[in-house]
Amino acid sequence: MSDPDPLFPPGFRWGVATAAFQIEGAWNADGKGPSNWDTRAHHAGGLAGGATGDVACDHYHRLTEDLDLMAGLGVGSYRFSVSWPRVQPAGHGRWNGRGLAFYDRLVDGLLARRIEPLLTVYHWDHPQPVEDAGGWAARDTAARFADYAEGLAVRFGDRVRRWLTLNEPLSVMHAELSGRPGPRARRHGLRVAHHLMLGHGLAVPRLRAHAPDAAIGISLNLAGTTPATDRPADLTAADRAEAYEDRLFLDPLLRGDYPHLDGRPVIEADEADRRLIAAPLDFVGVNWYAPARVAASAAGVFGYARVPFPDVRTNLLGWPVAPEQLGALLAWLRADYPELPPIEITENGYPDVDEPDATGSVPDLPRIAYLRACLHQVRAALDAGSDIRGYHVWSLLDNLEWDHGYRPRFGLVHVDFATLARTPKASYRWYRQLISAQRSDGKDGRACSG
């Protein structure tokens, strides 16, 4: 018998999360320009199964239905991203009024349903002209991004009180490593990482200028690192993994410099850049799915490689299913970063096949068990002194899982990609009941500051 659902403090924020490219579709509608991911998907061999984001979940045309699904859940927060090429197709200059109007309807629809918008400025899709100009490998992209962020703040800052600049800069960096030899990949990846951080640092004061009462954060995918063995080479590899992944963004954001290995910062940056990047944050988003176990590897770009956990089952994507390691990560953050601002879990989810049964129901019980176990770890971390203000399930809807195409399903709501029909799964009903139980105990996740 599984543990009962944990109860959380008053004001704890309950939410769901999505990203524009993964759900919106309407890839060239109403003045939207192509994104780097549209181009990739349309290229032969781009995404698994020939998937594209051309239609995806058709959220762009089914906005009201999806807003009502969120309202039915009882969530108090919705984390979404703006598609940069939908609102500024060239990546600079002219804004697309029809694209901006879609996000007006989204924000207003959320507020009308007493759901707080959590706007992610960048969740991996940028205009193809930005990619053609060098993408994040070009320093100028950081300046373009800051201009873009400011434009969003001008438009939405009167209604959006919570902002995330970037989603998972580590994942963006890793996507840039493939196809390059080791030393070249390392230099290129670290250049991309620095420009992402610089874009963040340039954007923060622009957001504050036009949304002065808003809380500003960033979402980082932090795994937590375990050495494969106690051999010195693997212990060193674990230190390197921690530096090149978890600390690569936390240190410059919170401590004003990149992590050091062998007495030197892993990225050399001048003082002016470091000051910009370390602009004070109101919260840090943590995206967590699985831990990392690493071993020394000469083939690895940074001198290490991920290896399987012994005797730990894996999910559909091959990730270890080890929810207790979320607690270990939160403990590490608490111990190593006393300067850390409040945390929000901005993504946590479970991929599966999730096909309807003979009755049309989707009994995704493994997802419920996994999310419940993760929430117990979050509750334990709160009890141990972590300042965690909210939790967002990835994802509201089954969607386009980037390179993996449409087979992995993360949603609380099943999407039939042939008909686009939405069917709430067992996990939707479980999450609705969990949220309701918090409120019936006097805990309302709709009104939490920070």
Side-chain angles (χ1 to χ4, degrees), residues 144-166:
R144 291 191 185 200
F145 172 75
D147 291 342
Y148 157 60
E150 182 175 23
L152 295 187
V154 168
R155 180 75 174 217
F156 305 111
D158 62 329
R159 289 160 288 160
V160 175
R161 297 286 184 259
R162 301 171 64 237
W163 297 73
L164 293 161
T165 54
L166 302 173

Side-chain angles (χ1 to χ4, degrees), residues 184-440:
R184 184 180 170 198
R186 182 164 55 249
R187 289 192 297 272
H188 180 82
L190 294 176
R191 184 184 310 117
V192 165
H194 180 61
H195 293 160
L196 284 157
M197 286 290 88
L198 184 60
H200 160 84
L202 289 167
V204 168
R206 308 275 195 97
L207 293 172
R208 294 202 188 282
H210 298 284
D213 298 324
I216 312 297
I218 185 172
S219 276
L220 304 178
N221 51 319
L222 306 172
T225 303
T226 301
T229 73
D230 59 2
R231 293 187 305 121
D234 287 342
L235 295 174
T236 298
D239 288 342
R240 294 180 68 80
E242 190 176 274
Y244 281 113
E245 298 194 15
D246 294 341
R247 293 191 187 277
L248 185 62
F249 303 101
L250 284 167
D251 280 18
L253 288 166
L254 302 179
R255 296 175 175 170
D257 199 3
Y258 288 100
H260 286 56
L261 287 173
D262 304 318
R264 298 180 58 187
V266 298
I267 296 177
E268 300 280 356
D270 64 33
E271 184 179 352
D273 280 5
R274 288 187 277 114
R275 279 201 308 269
L276 282 169
I277 293 167
L281 293 171
D282 300 299
F283 67 105
V284 168
V286 173
N287 295 354
W288 193 88
Y289 293 91
R293 182 172 182 259
V294 300
S297 170
V301 170
F302 298 109
Y304 62 87
R306 276 176 164 76
V307 296
F309 282 80
D311 303 319
V312 174
R313 71 179 181 91
T314 57
N315 62 31
L316 183 67
L317 293 175
W319 303 341
V321 179
E324 70 281 359
Q325 293 295 325
L326 173 56
L329 171 72
L330 294 171
W332 175 76
L333 286 170
R334 190 168 61 248
D336 278 36
Y337 289 93
E339 66 272 55
L340 188 72
I343 293 171
E344 291 224 14
I345 306 299
T346 40
E347 291 183 25
N348 178 226
Y350 185 88
D352 214 336
V353 178
D354 290 348
E355 292 300 335
D357 62 18
T359 70
S361 300
V362 186
D364 56 337
L365 302 184
R367 175 170 295 107
I368 295 172
Y370 182 77
L371 296 179
R372 177 184 284 128
C374 288
L375 282 169
H376 276 286
Q377 296 296 320
V378 174
R379 174 72 252 200
L382 276 166
D383 292 340
S386 294
D387 188 356
I388 306 172
R389 304 286 182 87
Y391 175 88
H392 296 74
V393 172
W394 184 272
S395 179
L396 173 68
L397 303 169
D398 292 337
N399 54 53
L400 173 55
E401 186 49 36
W402 305 103
D403 286 324
H404 301 288
Y406 286 102
R407 184 167 182 262
R409 294 175 177 269
F410 279 90
L412 300 175
V413 176
H414 179 274
V415 177
D416 181 328
F417 292 110
T419 67
L420 299 174
R422 274 81 160 135
T423 303
K425 303 178 187 178
S427 59
Y428 177 99
R429 295 187 291 275
W430 163 78
Y431 196 44
R432 179 177 61 196
Q433 178 57 38
L434 182 146
I435 295 169
S436 176
Q438 313 295 322
R439 297 204 177 112
S440 66

